[in-house]
């Protein structure tokens, strides 16, 4: 009976392709929208992912997400350094700065400042030039995906950051933030030149805990300092994701889009599969008349549903995977992230879609009067 | 076991209605019928008189509203849907006007369907299906799809399918309606020979043919005429005589004998031994 079921399914190529495409489209709708959503969340935590060394991020206690700039003072840095259990604590700067390009055009960039001596917070990969050259006064490294945004500036070109001269000494690769501005690295000392904020210039103090010290305890100690709080990498990620989800409205908007994708997928795949069963109802009636049992007919419909469902799922997630790979190309503004959890979620979505279609179809098949074979 | 008096079909007071109120149609209005094994019975009558409803009830694909419908001692009315399905698979073979072959399946696969439905392993089912096709003269078309076969060939595949499981009751609904005269004759020859066939235990078979085609009446061992949901008590000879007047060439068409003796079966490749 399995063979008959599959031959019925595969025998009519146009209908079979329509089924697979319909289901593939439904899965694509669900998984691609969800992948973009996940990608945006991941992108929002990009600045965190770029910095691997510290155990704690010390920030203003009201900071809501990683890219929010709420300045700390030099005193804050000193207090954190003197907290028991702290191995090292280095300043980290991150702020939006106006950049004048050689052409005379200008745009905003995300200026990241790292400690000049230790280079803690350095970009993950330097693709051209040398990291050490950042120590030159006014030197900057341009993030690869920002090349085009900065009109393809080359090494040696001069930019103006807040009307102060900066020289491009190389390129690096780092993850941009949520709003994807051009990222430019320099030293904290250079930042103070570009953005003269006096003693309140720091965005974060990056902290490494002494070996053997309890991170949680050090975190609590820092939390007792005035106006600051210490966050682990996971806590800051969580804070950032929660901010994006709740305060930007992206959560509800993408949630609705994914839900719509699911509803459209349910409707499309359910309707197509039901139509397929309708068109084969005479065949089912013949099988019933010949003595095909209820269980065998249920098995046939479910096999067909699972078959087209899995192939449609493969097509859908395959397209989403291609889309995700494409979004990883340097310079692409697409934000897509496709973890295994999304694969599982899409599979659940597909199962839901195909369940609706097969339940409708089964209802039709099981209620079918075998006497229609005489009509 | 195989005595001539064995009851194949027994109907008592069978009634069937469709619709309700103003749209109600009383398709069967108290039908009594006894058919013996080993007979080819033709059910004739005008369109809408209830012939198809009657064979649907006899073959167990439609429940009667009232009355008793028994086939070889099996009372359809006492069985659950699943039991009925199982017994139908053992007892009944079908030949339809529209052939009802499964378009995506090859000829042998179509023929094998009743065996597969009964759980026969595919290699054995294929062997039996190819043998059945050989008996209807289509051994060389076993791999063809229905769309690659002529109407007559498709109906022969349908006959092979109906008989491959060696059912005790063969129900044929207008088997020649979509065929030309010559092909129809070939098909009727096969059906006539099936009527003389036996099931796996060697028990005799009963064949019921619903038809409008008066050229085929002479194949019948018995003719039952329906009108307005009841069986008329018309002598078979009268029906055949009427048919012969209506179609001057009918009596000269081929056949394996029947009510009127019938013309001889044409010689040829058909070796029906189902």
């Amino acid at each position: 009976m399995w063979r008959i079921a599959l031959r019925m399914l595969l025998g009519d190529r146009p209908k079979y392709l329509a089924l697979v495409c319909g289901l593939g489209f439904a899965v694509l709708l669900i998984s691609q929208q969800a992948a973009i959503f996940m990608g945006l969340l991941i992108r929002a935590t990009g600045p965190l992912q770029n910095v691997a060394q510290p155990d704690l991020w010390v920030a203003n206690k009201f900071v809501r997400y990683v890219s929010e700039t709420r300045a700390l003072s030099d005193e804050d840095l000193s207090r954190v350094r003197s907290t028991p259990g702290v191995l090292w604590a280095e300043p980290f700067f991150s702020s939006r700065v106006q950049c004048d390009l050689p052409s005379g055009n200008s745009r905003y960039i995300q200026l990241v400042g790292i400690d000049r001596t230790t280079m803690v917070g350095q970009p993950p990969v330097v693709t051209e030039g040398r990291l050490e050259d950042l120590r030159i006064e006014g030197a900057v490294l341009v993030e690869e995906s920002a090349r085009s945004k900065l009109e393809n500036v080359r090494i040696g070109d001069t930019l103006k950051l807040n009307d102060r001269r900066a020289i491009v000494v190389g390129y690096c690769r780092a993850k941009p933030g949520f709003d994807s501005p051009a990222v430019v690295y320099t030293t904290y000392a250079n930042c103070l030149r570009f953005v003269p904020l006096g003693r309140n210039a720091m965005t974060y103090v990056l902290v490494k805990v002494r070996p053997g010290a309890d991170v949680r305890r050090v975190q609590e100690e820092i939390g007792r300092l005035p106006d600051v709080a210490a966050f682990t990498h996971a806590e800051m990620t969580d804070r950032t994701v929660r901010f994006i989800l709740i305060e930007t409205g992206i959560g509800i908007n993408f949630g609705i889009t994914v839900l719509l994708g699911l509803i459209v997928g349910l409707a499309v795949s359910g309707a197509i599969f039901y139509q397929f069963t309708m068109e084969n109802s005479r065949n089912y009636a013949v099988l019933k008349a010949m003595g095909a049992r209820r269980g065998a007919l249920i098995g046939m419909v479910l096999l067909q549903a699972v078959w087209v469902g899995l192939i449609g799922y493969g097509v859908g997630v395959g397209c989403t995977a291609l889309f995700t790979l494409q979004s990883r190309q340097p310079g692409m503004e697409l934000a897509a992230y496709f973890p295994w959890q999304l694969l599982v979620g899409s599979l659940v979505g597909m199962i839901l879609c195909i369940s609706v279609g097969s339940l409708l179809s089964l209802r039709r098949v099981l209620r079918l009067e075998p006497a229609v074979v005489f009509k | 076991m195989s005595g001539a008096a064995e009851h194949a079909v027994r109907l008592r007071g069978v009634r069937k209605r469709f619709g309700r109120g103003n749209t109600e149609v009383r398709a069967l209005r108290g039908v009594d019928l006894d058919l013996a094994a080993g007979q080819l019975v033709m059910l004739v009558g005008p369109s809408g008189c209830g012939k198809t409803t009657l064979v649907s009830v006899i073959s167990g694909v439609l429940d009667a509203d009232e009355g008793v419908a028994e086939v070889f001692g099996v009372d359809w009315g006492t069985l659950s849907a699943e039991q009925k399905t199982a017994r139908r698979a053992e007892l009944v073979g079908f030949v339809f006007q529209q052939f009802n072959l499964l378009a995506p399946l090859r000829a042998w696969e179509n023929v094998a369907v009743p065996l597969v439905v009964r759980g026969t392993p595919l290699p054995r089912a294929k062997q039996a299906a190819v043998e059945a096709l050989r008996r209807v003269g289509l051994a060389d078309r076993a791999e063809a799809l229905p769309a690659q076969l002529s109407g007559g060939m498709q109906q022969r595949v349908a006959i092979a399918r109906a008989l491959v499981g060696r059912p005790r009751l063969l129900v044929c609904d207008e088997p020649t309606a979509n065929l030309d005269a010559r092909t129809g004759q070939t098909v009727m020859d096969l059906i006539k020979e099936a009527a003389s066939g036996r099931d796996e235990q060697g028990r005799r078979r009963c064949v019921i043919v619903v038809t409008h085609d008066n050229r085929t009446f002479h194949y019948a061992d018995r003719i039952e005429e329906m009108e307005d949901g009841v069986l008329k008590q018309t002598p078979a000879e009268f029906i055949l005589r009427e048919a012969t007047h209506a179609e001057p060439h009918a009596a000269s068409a081929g056949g394996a004998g029947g009510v009127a003796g019938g013309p001889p079966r044409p010689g040829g490749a058909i070796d029906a031994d189902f």
Side-chain angles (χ1 to χ4, degrees), chain A residues 3 7 282 288-290, chain B residues 56 86 88 100 104 109 161:
Chain A
R3 185 187 172 95
R7 294 296 295 274
R282 192 166 191 88
K288 271 188 143 179
M290 288 181 183
Chain B
S56 297
R88 198 163 58 229
N100 283 340
E109 290 171 323
R161 177 178 67 180

Side-chain angles (χ1 to χ4, degrees), chain B residues 208-274:
Chain B
I208 302 174
V209 178
V210 173
T211 186
H212 276 110
D213 188 353
N214 53 19
R215 294 169 305 184
T216 65
F217 287 178
H218 55 267
Y219 284 94
D221 297 310
R222 177 175 166 185
I223 297 176
E224 291 290 338
E225 187 178 20
M226 277 198 87
E227 191 175 271
D228 205 16
V230 291
L231 289 171
K232 285 173 72 178
Q233 302 301 317
T234 313
E237 290 75 12
F238 178 77
I239 296 169
L240 186 64
R241 193 164 55 245
E242 288 291 300
T244 308
H245 287 308
E247 174 51 75
H249 303 293
S252 62
V259 173
R265 178 167 69 87
I270 298 164
D271 170 22
D273 181 27
F274 288 104

Side-chain angles (χ1 to χ4, degrees), chain A residues 195-276:
Chain A
V195 190
L197 293 170
R199 292 186 306 151
N200 298 313
M202 240 172 292
T203 316
Y204 291 99
V205 176
L206 304 180
V207 173
K208 187 74 178 175
V209 173
R210 282 183 192 286
D214 181 16
V215 174
R216 192 60 65 186
R217 193 177 176 83
V218 175
Q219 188 181 13
E220 286 169 8
E221 288 290 336
I222 294 172
R224 291 194 187 96
L225 300 175
D227 302 326
V228 300
F231 305 100
T232 62
H233 189 280
E235 286 169 347
M236 187 54 89
T237 301
D238 191 42
R239 227 176 161 78
T240 301
V241 167
R242 198 177 309 143
F243 172 81
I244 298 294
L245 279 177
I246 297 168
E247 297 205 29
T248 64
I250 281 179
I252 186 78
N253 285 301
F254 262 92
I256 288 170
T257 308
V258 171
L259 186 66
L260 280 177
L262 187 64
I263 291 169
V264 171
L266 282 171
V268 169
S269 53
I272 293 176
F273 193 70
Y274 181 68
Q275 181 65 25
F276 170 78

